[in-house]
Amino acid sequence: MRKIIGVTALLLASGYSQAAAPDPNDPSVMSNFSYDYYEARIGLSPTTYGAKLSMSIHPNAHMIGRVDSKLSGDYDLSAGLGFHAPANNWADFTGEMLFRMIEPEHSNDTDTGMELTLGVRQWLGPQLEVGGKAGYLTLDNNNDWIGSVYARFHSTELFSVGAEARLNDNYDDQVMLTARFKY
């Protein structure tokens, strides 16, 4: 009797875990890309180091957190929510609304504000992704536009490397090299 109860419990548990896993072919999973990843980043000119985390909270929404710094008493911190929706079978339309907190180098003043962006992610081939975004950044009383374009090579399903050109952002125009780990 104990063996039958144990086997039944194991079968029910394994069936529940199979039912709880999202099926990528299910029409309710509405995106062409994964939005669950960790990212390590290195910026060039000026040299910065950073990290980013994205986590899905809904089939069409995700949370974002990122931090970049020159490691000299400065930081650029962002956190907020994003949305994504398929534009066609190979592209997603994206948007983000982020809280920004920036402390410049050699300063004790912290600037806070809001960042709003709209963008596109597109597959060019089975392993090559390109994209871009443009947006509006308001920090204290300064309002400005920001943008970026990038290319990302997906060497495996769980790992990719990329290069991004960031335009008019906190560290001015900057090239950023990234390594992304999907979870």
Side-chain angles (χ1 to χ4, degrees), residues 23-170:
D23 179 14
N25 298 321
D26 184 6
S28 68
V29 177
M30 300 289 291
S31 66
N32 295 299
F33 298 90
S34 172
Y35 292 86
D36 295 319
Y37 59 84
Y38 300 105
E39 183 176 274
R41 307 144 55 101
I42 296 176
L44 308 173
S45 182
T47 302
T48 59
Y49 304 94
K52 181 177 179 180
L53 168 70
S54 177
M55 182 174 67
S56 295
I57 56 173
H58 180 271
N60 292 99
H62 55 281
M63 293 187 317
I64 305 158
R66 69 177 186 235
V67 62
D68 292 297
S69 177
K70 289 194 237 178
L71 301 179
S72 58
D74 67 312
Y75 61 84
D76 180 358
L77 177 70
S78 303
L81 298 174
F83 75 89
H84 50 275
N88 59 33
N89 288 339
W90 301 280
D92 277 4
F93 178 65
T94 64
E96 297 174 351
M97 182 174 66
L98 304 173
F99 169 76
R100 293 279 297 259
M101 185 175 0
I102 296 172
E103 183 170 321
E105 190 175 6
H106 308 298
S107 173
N108 290 330
D109 286 341
T110 301
D111 298 331
T112 58
M114 182 69 67
E115 173 185 332
L116 299 170
T117 60
L118 295 175
V120 168
R121 294 177 73 179
Q122 170 79 42
W123 287 110
L124 283 187
Q127 293 178 296
L128 185 61
E129 169 192 350
V130 295
K133 63 183 176 181
Y136 182 74
L137 175 64
T138 176
L139 287 171
D140 291 332
N141 292 326
N142 300 325
N143 302 321
D144 216 344
W145 67 273
I146 56 173
S148 70
V149 293
Y150 70 90
R152 176 168 298 287
F153 176 73
H154 294 260
S155 59
T156 69
E157 188 176 322
L158 299 176
F159 177 74
S160 64
V161 294
E164 178 180 10
R166 298 175 79 179
L167 308 170
N168 206 32
D169 212 331
N170 182 42

